[in-house]
Amino acid sequence: MKNFEFYVFALVLVSLELIATDAQFTCFRKYRERKGKEFCKGPLKNRKKFNSPETCCAKKGKGFAMSMVKLGGKNKFQCMSCSVLKKTTLAPTFPPTPEVTTGLPEWGRWNPCTVTCGYGWRNRYRLCDDCDKNHFNYVQSQPCLVNFYCPMDGNWGNWMGWSKCSADCGGGTRTRVRRCNYPPPTHGGKNCPGPGVKEEPCNEEPCKVDGHWGTWSQFTLCSATCGSGTMVRTRTCDNPPAQFGGKQCNGPPYEEKRCKNKNCPLHGGWSMWGPWSECSVTCDTGVVTRTRTCDSPRPLFGGRECEGSATDTRDCTANKQCPVHGGWTSWTLQGRCNAPRCETGTSIRSRSCTNPRPRNGGRPCVGRSYSRETCVNDENCPKSGEWCNWNEWSQCTATCTGLNSMQVRQRSCQCPGPQAGGSECDGSKYEARECVNVQPCNPYGAFVGQRGRKDEDSYSTSVNTTEDAGKNDKVRNYSIDRGYEGRDIVRETGNQFD
């Protein structure tokens, strides 16, 4: 019964709406009921308007609406189901009952509709003062329609989640929104009061600043004045420096590269010692030797040679004593000449095989232990004198060279002198010559001791000389005569002891 009343009421509302307006209907091909909500989908024939719900529902329509009002989802519209028309049967109408004159008062004006929009009820009462207005004969009700759709103010839905902060650090903002869809304002209803977006600061802590390298410095000078070295350049992590937990600069703060100047002197170095040689002897004591070479490295580019010896020796001992061969001593002096005075004979000298003596099977000395030499017994035998070396030349007899400019030198027969009645030395002990290294004289000048004419080729002059005469110097005076054949004749004119 209740369902029947509901459908009757809905049909009445539709009828009232049709009466109030010359409506055009939109017909939908789908009607749905989900979670207590009714909606239609799929307008027919490109949303062509129909004059009545019956026209829509008589064909393929499943729902109808006077205007297309969207609901929350896609392709969802407010509507009424065609089943309302199909299930509703209007109450039978009867011819009006002729009014019975009962003397009831006239009806008053209809009261305003119980609603300001949509469907409601209105009443009217008979105009009487002492009647029971609650009696059905004195009250009349009927449905009313004021604006088919009521204005509905919008209401905010829940706030959505906060958006991501606009900055990870250093201060940013985040927002959240709410939608005026719970429900949305419809049919002239008011929008939701207040903002739909809320904003607040976020991530206000300072941002991490990663460090970045500054520019490289110039390379330093080469670390070596000769040979290979390195050059270094540096940089600092200050462009900008790392701050607030930021990362330090990636990579090394310095960079090296190899450099090379002229070759350095490479001093020589000894190699390892070689193995020891075998003992130098098979008996007694000898030496063993080992060597090394100056090639680790070799001296290059003016480097020094290795210091020290390239050879190392040490003593070694054999298992037996070596044979020692005999060796002669030096010859003794010649013995006395075995001959008569001043005659030829022989003398003897000797030696012994004791340097060293032969031992351990060594060979004896080879040869004789004495020898005979021919000699002359000159003891107390007359010996002829022998000349000593010439003395120095005397001074020149004049200041210039000429017929009487001479120099003289002498020698003595004392090296040795005659002994035991031996003869004097053979030859002259004086020698004269013309002066040397003296300017020549005028051949027509006068000379001391000159005689004869200018064309004479003989002259006479005197020279003083000295000779060693023991403890005293003996001064001798000589005269030198130039013979006609160009020979000098030296004569001693006297002597004295100085």
Side-chain angles (χ1 to χ4, degrees), residues 321-327 353 356-365:
Q321 293 184 338
C322 292
V324 178
H325 304 308
C353 187
R357 297 180 185 276
R359 63 177 181 272
N360 303 328
R363 295 188 299 271
C365 298

Side-chain angles (χ1 to χ4, degrees), residues 10-11 13-15 17-18 23-31 38-44 50-58 61-69 77-86 119 148-149:
L11 183 59
L13 290 179
V14 173
S15 301
E17 185 176 2
L18 294 175
Q24 295 291 320
F25 293 88
T26 300
C27 191
F28 298 93
R29 57 186 176 85
K30 291 181 181 180
Y31 174 82
E38 300 175 356
F39 59 91
C40 291
K41 299 177 68 175
L44 290 177
F50 291 83
N51 293 326
S52 66
E54 290 80 0
T55 307
C56 166
C57 295
K62 300 296 182 181
F64 60 91
M66 292 186 65
S67 60
M68 297 183 67
V69 178
F77 302 93
Q78 288 182 349
C79 69
M80 295 188 69
S81 175
C82 288
S83 62
V84 174
L85 298 177
K86 295 177 181 179
Y119 305 104
F148 183 74
Y149 294 107

Side-chain angles (χ1 to χ4, degrees), residues 215-292:
T215 57
W216 286 103
S217 67
Q218 297 292 326
F219 276 102
T220 62
L221 296 176
C222 193
S223 61
T225 57
C226 62
S228 297
T230 55
M231 297 192 303
V232 180
R233 66 175 181 176
T234 59
R235 59 180 177 177
T236 54
C237 187
D238 58 358
N239 188 32
Q243 294 178 336
F244 311 118
K247 296 179 181 178
Q248 293 293 332
C249 296
N250 187 25
Y254 64 92
E255 183 181 43
E256 293 183 355
K257 71 176 182 179
R258 297 190 64 80
C259 54
K260 184 175 183 180
N261 290 325
K262 62 180 180 180
N263 290 322
C264 291
L266 183 60
H267 305 311
W270 290 112
S271 67
M272 299 294 291
W273 285 105
W276 289 101
S277 66
E278 294 184 358
C279 192
S280 60
V281 297
T282 58
C283 54
D284 285 346
T285 301
V287 294
V288 289
T289 305
R290 63 177 180 177
T291 59
R292 58 182 177 178

Side-chain angles (χ1 to χ4, degrees), residues 394-410:
S394 66
Q395 293 183 352
C396 187
T397 58
T399 59
C400 59
T401 59
L403 297 176
N404 62 347
S405 59
M406 302 296 291
Q407 291 176 296
V408 176
R409 67 178 180 176
Q410 64 181 2

Side-chain angles (χ1 to χ4, degrees), residues 77-368:
F77 302 93
Q78 288 182 349
C79 69
M80 295 188 69
S81 175
C82 288
S83 62
V84 174
L85 298 177
K86 295 177 181 179
K87 293 180 181 180
T88 302
T89 303
L90 294 178
T93 59
F94 300 96
T97 303
E99 291 188 6
V100 179
T101 305
T102 58
L104 294 177
E106 294 292 331
W107 289 102
R109 295 175 60 89
W110 287 98
N111 291 338
C113 192
T114 57
V115 294
T116 58
C117 66
Y119 305 104
W121 290 93
R122 63 181 181 174
N123 300 322
R124 66 179 179 176
Y125 301 92
R126 293 193 180 273
L127 300 175
C128 60
D129 292 331
D130 55 356
C131 56
D132 185 7
K133 293 186 178 181
N134 292 324
H135 192 276
F136 67 91
N137 288 327
Y138 294 93
V139 63
Q140 190 176 26
S141 299
Q142 71 176 17
C144 59
L145 175 66
V146 180
N147 296 330
F148 183 74
Y149 294 107
C150 292
M152 183 178 293
D153 295 338
N155 189 41
W156 291 113
N158 293 329
W159 285 103
M160 296 184 180
W162 288 103
S163 67
K164 184 178 180 181
C165 191
S166 62
D168 293 334
C169 57
T173 57
R174 64 177 184 174
T175 58
R176 63 177 181 175
V177 297
R178 57 182 177 176
R179 300 189 182 280
C180 187
N181 61 357
Y182 198 70
T186 56
H187 311 300
K190 297 178 181 179
N191 282 323
C192 298
V197 179
K198 183 182 289 188
E199 185 178 280
E200 70 176 10
C202 57
N203 293 342
E204 296 178 327
E205 66 276 4
C207 290
K208 295 180 181 180
V209 178
D210 294 337
H212 288 83
W213 291 112
T215 57
W216 286 103
S217 67
Q218 297 292 326
F219 276 102
T220 62
L221 296 176
C222 193
S223 61
T225 57
C226 62
S228 297
T230 55
M231 297 192 303
V232 180
R233 66 175 181 176
T234 59
R235 59 180 177 177
T236 54
C237 187
D238 58 358
N239 188 32
Q243 294 178 336
F244 311 118
K247 296 179 181 178
Q248 293 293 332
C249 296
N250 187 25
Y254 64 92
E255 183 181 43
E256 293 183 355
K257 71 176 182 179
R258 297 190 64 80
C259 54
K260 184 175 183 180
N261 290 325
K262 62 180 180 180
N263 290 322
C264 291
L266 183 60
H267 305 311
W270 290 112
S271 67
M272 299 294 291
W273 285 105
W276 289 101
S277 66
E278 294 184 358
C279 192
S280 60
V281 297
T282 58
C283 54
D284 285 346
T285 301
V287 294
V288 289
T289 305
R290 63 177 180 177
T291 59
R292 58 182 177 178
T293 56
C294 187
D295 58 0
S296 297
R298 298 182 184 276
L300 296 172
F301 313 116
R304 295 189 300 270
E305 293 288 338
C306 299
E307 296 180 357
S309 176
T311 304
D312 184 24
T313 59
R314 67 181 182 185
D315 294 338
C316 60
T317 302
N319 296 327
K320 62 179 180 178
Q321 293 184 338
C322 292
V324 178
H325 304 308
W328 292 111
T329 61
S330 300
W331 288 103
T332 61
L333 297 177
Q334 291 292 137
R336 184 180 179 85
C337 189
N338 185 18
R341 180 173 175 268
C342 300
E343 292 185 6
T344 300
T346 59
S347 63
I348 297 175
R349 62 177 181 174
S350 63
R351 59 182 178 177
S352 63
C353 187
T354 58
N355 188 33
R357 297 180 185 276
R359 63 177 181 272
N360 303 328
R363 295 188 299 271
C365 298
V366 178
R368 294 184 177 184

